[in-house]
Amino acid sequence: MGMSVTISVATEQDAEQIFKLQYLCFQSEAALYGNYRIDPLVQTLDSVRQELARDCVFVARLGEEVVGSVRGSVTEDGAASIGRLCVHPRLQGHGIGARLLRAAEAALAEDRGAKKFRLHTGHRSEGNLRLYRRVGYQTVGTAEGSDGVPMIVLEKPAETYATTA
């Protein structure tokens, strides 16, 4: 590839690249469910900007290009809600998603006091489920997304973030 992918805190200037990347990356999820109204595809650029200002957001960069992103926030119950993990399709399968996840987990535990991590993915999203289980997440339940997609909810204790890869 010639350049290495770096992980860093997202800046306000990354909003448009994150927005476009998210739209590209979640097309395959939409196809999997036959639902092109899933939340990541209908989110507005302004909403992404608001999340950048409020939440813990990391990006993966290849040079100046944003090729991956993840967001997280700590909820009232001390759980860190992690979502919108995406990696450009041409770079998937190289560990970038796991690196983004680890960066978000570390920041959420160390800087925001998260006691556990929680995320969800569609019930047919086998690649996502494999990644999450590989890095220590366990299924704790199911839910229905606001877009109607059946979701699997996964969690892991915050103290495990540094020991999983």
Side-chain angles (χ1 to χ4, degrees):
M1 215 182 302
M3 277 190 257
S4 62
V5 173
T6 59
I7 308 296
S8 61
V9 173
T11 68
E12 189 178 315
Q13 290 73 33
D14 295 324
E16 196 167 324
Q17 283 193 71
I18 292 169
F19 177 72
K20 289 176 180 177
L21 177 69
Q22 175 178 300
Y23 192 81
L24 170 69
C25 291
F26 280 91
Q27 292 294 319
S28 59
E29 288 291 298
L32 191 59
Y33 297 98
N35 181 349
Y36 288 84
R37 301 288 302 157
I38 61 173
D39 292 342
L41 296 185
V42 298
Q43 185 175 20
T44 65
L45 178 56
D46 280 344
S47 175
V48 171
R49 285 190 175 110
Q50 290 169 8
E51 289 177 355
L52 274 165
R54 177 188 67 230
D55 297 342
C56 179
V57 183
F58 283 86
V59 292
R61 295 180 200 283
L62 182 61
E64 295 298 312
E65 181 185 6
V66 172
V67 296
S69 180
V70 67
R71 289 166 237 181
S73 61
V74 178
T75 60
E76 317 78 51
D77 65 353
S81 177
I82 298 174
R84 303 280 203 269
L85 176 64
C86 61
V87 175
H88 194 290
R90 77 175 190 270
L91 295 173
Q92 290 176 2
H94 297 284
I96 297 168
R99 289 175 58 201
L100 281 164
L101 200 50
R102 278 194 305 272
E105 289 172 351
L108 290 162
E110 294 170 9
D111 301 339
R112 300 197 181 195
K115 305 286 184 251
K116 64 182 170 183
F117 305 117
R118 180 182 299 136
L119 48 76
H120 61 270
T121 192
H123 71 293
R124 295 183 191 151
S125 303
E126 287 302 321
N128 297 349
L129 289 166
R130 263 192 312 277
L131 167 63
Y132 299 146
R133 289 179 177 136
R134 190 174 70 241
V135 298
Y137 284 84
Q138 296 184 328
T139 300
V140 296
T142 59
E144 184 173 303
S146 61
D147 49 25
V149 173
M151 307 298 273
I152 295 177
V153 180
L154 302 104
E155 290 183 355
K156 77 175 184 179
E159 63 269 8
T160 64
Y161 78 87
T163 62
T164 57

